[in-house]
Amino acid sequence: MPDSGLFYKEWKQNKALLIMIFLVFMLSNPFTVLNTYISYQGCVANQNEWVGTCVFTINYLNGTFISLFWIWGVVLAVSQLGIERSKGLFDFTLSLPYTRGQVFNAKFMMGGMVIVVSQITGYGLAVLLVMLLKPDQVANFHHYSLGMIIISMLAYSLVMAGGALTGHIFAQLLVSFTVTILPFLVITLPAINMDILFGGRAGFLDFPIPEWMQYIFPITYVVPNWVEDSPHYLVIPAVMSIMFYIIGYISFVKLSNERNGYFFLWKALDRPVQVIVIIIGILGFGYFGYAASESFAGYVVGMAAGAVIGFFISYFAIYKKTKQL
């Protein structure tokens, strides 16, 4: 358990951001209910001018502020790890009489409490408003409100893990984004290329992806349509959040801080990741070359361009040190 001194340091260092995120999380849910009610009252007041019947309906699938909650998890994780590391403040933090595990847990628990407690409070206030205002219909309210707590924690734990592995903000965000589409890169993209090589006879793309499998793509949760499917699928992002926390904790504890400014803190990752980036570039640009020209020659040209682009992107991103802020 982290010492109270670490919580105090984390609070003082990120107080303004923590308060802002807490208020946004807490107020957005009841504000959504209230805003819908105000729109309904406006319809009633001008019913003679509008066509149709005014119905007080709360449907969280029709665009709410809550759908952007995952962004604040990203912002908080970047502030706690990426910005602090880029500013060179970790030397002071790690010089304090605490273990690296305590430092990481203090950051994670502080961020997690802000994300979870504020949203639960906002959900409770929204429930009270729904009971008070008595809308004609409520759709996707409970599922979406509670689901966004899990998804916000997924985004937060993912970016925290990315920050524990990398040496600056750009690397943290790039690694985190890559992980959100990783199932596509390792499953769908190779299958598409195999289908091209076999002239469509490989059959890899003939079978539709099972509905549950799309939920192993973290990027799926950016679009709010997930709320229409079974609430049991939310177990997947909950498990992924725990997994990313474990990865972040182990990385923060085991990796040194001496590679500040480099892409990865663990030097052994540099070469394998560069090779993977080049392979993804080859497969990705090969597919686009084939799609643009509808010929195997375009596929080969695209693969060659992808190899060159992948090499230069990986080289300058991974091997070139970034100056601290």
Side-chain angles (χ1 to χ4, degrees), residues 112-180:
M113 285 189 293
V114 167
I115 291 172
V116 174
V117 174
S118 59
Q119 288 191 69
I120 290 177
T121 304
Y123 171 65
L125 294 173
V127 169
L128 290 176
L129 276 176
V130 169
M131 294 172 61
L132 179 65
L133 299 176
K134 295 181 174 59
D136 299 306
Q137 183 181 4
V138 178
N140 306 308
F141 171 64
H142 301 287
H143 182 193
Y144 199 83
S145 297
L146 297 176
M148 279 310 302
I149 299 176
I150 298 175
I151 292 168
S152 301
M153 281 302 299
L154 170 62
Y156 176 70
S157 58
L158 168 59
V159 182
M160 284 290 283
L165 280 166
T166 55
H168 52 82
I169 298 173
F170 173 73
Q172 180 183 12
L173 290 173
L174 184 58
V175 167
S176 301
F177 173 74
T178 302
V179 172
T180 64

Side-chain angles (χ1 to χ4, degrees), residues 220-243:
T220 297
Y221 302 99
V222 172
V223 180
N225 291 339
W226 57 266
V227 75
E228 296 181 300
D229 297 324
S230 171
H232 296 102
Y233 290 143
L234 289 173
V235 173
I236 298 176
V239 171
M240 287 195 292
S241 298
I242 297 172
M243 180 184 68

Side-chain angles (χ1 to χ4, degrees), residues 66-78:
I66 301 177
S67 62
L68 302 176
F69 274 7
W70 62 270
I71 294 177
W72 295 110
V74 173
V75 171
L76 184 54
V78 169

Side-chain angles (χ1 to χ4, degrees), residues 26 36 43 63-64 68-69 83 92 95-96 103 117 128 138-139 181 183 190 213 216 238 250 257 262 267 272 301 315:
M26 184 180 70
T36 305
C43 173
T64 68
L68 302 176
F69 274 7
I83 292 179
F92 168 73
S95 69
L96 298 174
V103 171
V117 174
L128 290 176
V138 178
I181 61 172
M213 188 173 290
I216 66 175
I250 294 175
N257 196 48
Y262 282 102
K267 189 176 181 179
V301 171
Y315 177 77

Side-chain angles (χ1 to χ4, degrees), residues 289-304:
Y290 180 82
S293 65
E294 296 185 352
S295 67
F296 195 76
Y299 178 64
V300 173
V301 171
M303 292 178 70

